[in-house]
Amino acid sequence: MFNNWKIFEDNLGFVPSEEIKDKLSEYYKILVEENLKYNLTRITNEEDVYEKHFLDSLLFTKETKIDNQKIIDIGTGPGFPGIVLKIFFPETDITLIDSNNKKINFLNIVIKKLSLKQIEAKHARAEELARIENEKYDIAISRAVAYLDVILELAVRFLKVQGKLILLKGPRADEEITNSKNIDQKLKIKLINKQSLADTGFGERINLFYEKEKSTPELYPREYAKIVKESGKK
Ligand code: SAM
């Protein structure tokens, strides 16, 4: 049974309620049970899942107020950060998308067992769904899905003008910014904040916050193969 709530208090400024703790515990149980079938995560030790997945999914909330926004989590995998956000901020309206249907099946089990409301898991590719769900969201968020210029292009069309694009990145985010050159001008977005998190045992983390300044030019997002081919990734 996980009990190192101090790490949540130290990093988020509060200890989760009993209801949140129960939901996290149930989520962890389902994750480990279904991991054999769905191959969801290499991290399965309880302490590690709470720290490296659950807590890591929330650290950005110190920089941005989360209440009742409409949020899309792109490439959510087993639900990071989307399911964790829903557990902590039940008043949000969350769409989880992933191109891998096994992940969606798993997420639907979690949503049902935890009785989560106002949350939907969709089997979709971001670059295709973005054209359908054009400018529908207040926040688009994504963790560990693609190189910076790739994920920016996949995500930006989902956002309303002035919506926020939040990317949970590893220590090489600065290098990715440099290599992504003038992608922000092309996509009409602006980097407004960078949150550098010290290594607390699971590596240095950098979270990037962009704001959409204008509607996305018709060209974007392009086909996935083209986006990747022209990425600045070295
Ligand atoms: N966000 C989760 C996390 O932090 O653990 C999962 C990260 S996993 C490395 C990347 C996920 O993105 C995979 O589940 C993959 O199927 C999904 N993905 C990759 N490209 C995608 C795309 N174009 N559209 C939707 N999902 C995509």
Coordinates of all heavy atoms in Angstrom, one line a residue, residues 147-150 152 174-184 186 210 231-233:
Y147 N 8.8 14.2 -30.7 CA 9.8 15.3 -30.7 C 9.0 16.7 -30.7 O 7.8 16.7 -31.2 CB 10.7 15.3 -31.9 CG 12.0 16.0 -31.7 CD1 13.0 15.5 -30.9 CD2 12.3 17.2 -32.4 CE1 14.2 16.2 -30.7 CE2 13.5 17.9 -32.2 CZ 14.4 17.3 -31.4 OH 15.6 18.0 -31.2
L148 N 9.6 17.7 -30.2 CA 8.8 19.0 -30.0 C 8.1 19.5 -31.2 O 6.9 19.7 -31.2 CB 9.7 20.0 -29.4 CG 9.1 21.4 -29.2 CD1 8.0 21.3 -28.1 CD2 10.1 22.4 -28.7
D149 N 8.8 19.6 -32.3 CA 8.1 20.2 -33.5 C 7.0 19.3 -34.0 O 6.0 19.7 -34.6 CB 9.1 20.6 -34.6 CG 10.0 19.4 -35.0 OD1 9.9 18.3 -34.5 OD2 10.9 19.7 -35.8
V150 N 7.1 17.9 -33.8 CA 6.1 17.0 -34.2 C 4.9 17.1 -33.4 O 3.7 17.3 -33.9 CB 6.6 15.5 -34.2 CG1 5.5 14.5 -34.5 CG2 7.9 15.4 -35.1
L152 N 3.9 19.6 -31.5 CA 3.3 20.9 -31.6 C 2.3 20.9 -32.8 O 1.2 21.3 -32.8 CB 4.3 22.0 -31.8 CG 5.1 22.3 -30.5 CD1 6.2 23.3 -30.9 CD2 4.2 22.9 -29.4
D174 N 15.2 21.9 -24.0 CA 15.9 23.1 -24.6 C 16.5 22.8 -26.0 O 16.4 23.6 -26.9 CB 17.0 23.6 -23.6 CG 16.3 24.3 -22.4 OD1 15.3 25.0 -22.6 OD2 16.8 24.1 -21.3
E175 N 17.1 21.6 -26.0 CA 17.7 21.2 -27.3 C 16.6 21.1 -28.4 O 16.8 21.5 -29.5 CB 18.4 19.9 -27.1 CG 19.2 19.3 -28.2 CD 19.7 17.9 -27.9 OE1 20.2 17.7 -26.8 OE2 19.5 17.0 -28.7
E176 N 15.5 20.5 -28.0 CA 14.4 20.4 -28.9 C 13.8 21.7 -29.4 O 13.5 21.9 -30.5 CB 13.2 19.5 -28.3 CG 13.6 18.1 -28.0 CD 12.5 17.2 -27.6 OE1 11.3 17.5 -28.0 OE2 12.7 16.2 -26.8
I177 N 13.8 22.7 -28.5 CA 13.4 24.1 -28.8 C 14.3 24.6 -29.9 O 13.9 25.1 -31.0 CB 13.3 25.0 -27.6 CG1 12.2 24.6 -26.6 CG2 13.1 26.4 -28.1 CD1 12.2 25.3 -25.3
T178 N 15.6 24.5 -29.7 CA 16.6 25.0 -30.6 C 16.4 24.3 -32.0 O 16.4 24.9 -33.0 CB 18.0 24.7 -30.1 OG1 18.1 25.3 -28.8 CG2 19.1 25.3 -31.0
N179 N 16.3 23.0 -32.0 CA 16.2 22.2 -33.2 C 14.9 22.4 -33.9 O 14.8 22.1 -35.1 CB 16.5 20.7 -33.0 CG 17.9 20.5 -32.6 OD1 18.8 21.3 -32.8 ND2 18.1 19.3 -31.9
S180 N 13.9 22.9 -33.2 CA 12.6 23.0 -33.8 C 12.4 24.4 -34.5 O 11.4 24.7 -35.1 CB 11.5 22.8 -32.8 OG 11.5 21.5 -32.3
K181 N 13.5 25.2 -34.5 CA 13.6 26.4 -35.2 C 12.4 27.3 -35.1 O 11.9 27.6 -34.0 CB 14.0 26.2 -36.7 CG 15.3 25.5 -36.8 CD 15.8 25.5 -38.2 CE 16.9 24.5 -38.4 NZ 16.5 23.2 -38.8
N182 N 11.8 27.7 -36.2 CA 10.7 28.7 -36.2 C 9.3 28.0 -36.3 O 8.4 28.6 -36.8 CB 10.9 29.7 -37.3 CG 11.0 29.1 -38.6 OD1 11.1 27.8 -38.7 ND2 11.0 29.8 -39.7
I183 N 9.2 26.8 -35.7 CA 7.9 26.1 -35.8 C 6.8 27.0 -35.1 O 5.6 26.9 -35.5 CB 8.0 24.7 -35.1 CG1 6.7 23.9 -35.4 CG2 8.3 24.8 -33.6 CD1 6.6 23.4 -36.7
D184 N 7.1 27.7 -34.0 CA 6.1 28.5 -33.3 C 5.5 29.6 -34.2 O 4.3 29.8 -34.2 CB 6.6 29.1 -32.0 CG 8.0 29.6 -32.2 OD1 8.6 29.5 -33.3 OD2 8.5 30.2 -31.2
K186 N 5.3 29.4 -37.6 CA 4.5 28.7 -38.6 C 3.1 28.3 -38.0 O 2.1 28.4 -38.7 CB 5.2 27.4 -39.1 CG 6.4 27.7 -39.9 CD 6.9 26.4 -40.5 CE 8.3 26.5 -41.1 NZ 9.0 25.3 -41.1
Y210 N 2.7 26.5 -24.1 CA 2.5 27.4 -25.3 C 1.1 28.0 -25.3 O 0.2 27.4 -24.7 CB 2.7 26.6 -26.6 CG 4.1 26.2 -26.9 CD1 4.7 25.1 -26.3 CD2 4.9 27.0 -27.8 CE1 6.0 24.7 -26.6 CE2 6.2 26.6 -28.1 CZ 6.8 25.5 -27.5 OH 8.1 25.2 -27.8
S231 N 11.0 17.0 -39.4 CA 11.3 17.4 -38.0 C 12.8 17.8 -37.9 O 13.7 17.2 -38.6 CB 11.0 16.2 -37.1 OG 11.5 16.4 -35.8
G232 N 13.0 18.6 -37.0 CA 14.4 19.1 -36.7 C 15.2 18.1 -35.8 O 16.3 18.3 -35.4
K233 N 14.5 17.0 -35.4 CA 15.2 16.0 -34.6 C 16.5 15.5 -35.2 O 16.5 15.1 -36.3 CB 14.2 14.8 -34.4 CG 14.8 13.7 -33.4 CD 13.7 12.6 -33.2 CE 14.3 11.6 -32.2 NZ 13.4 10.5 -32.0

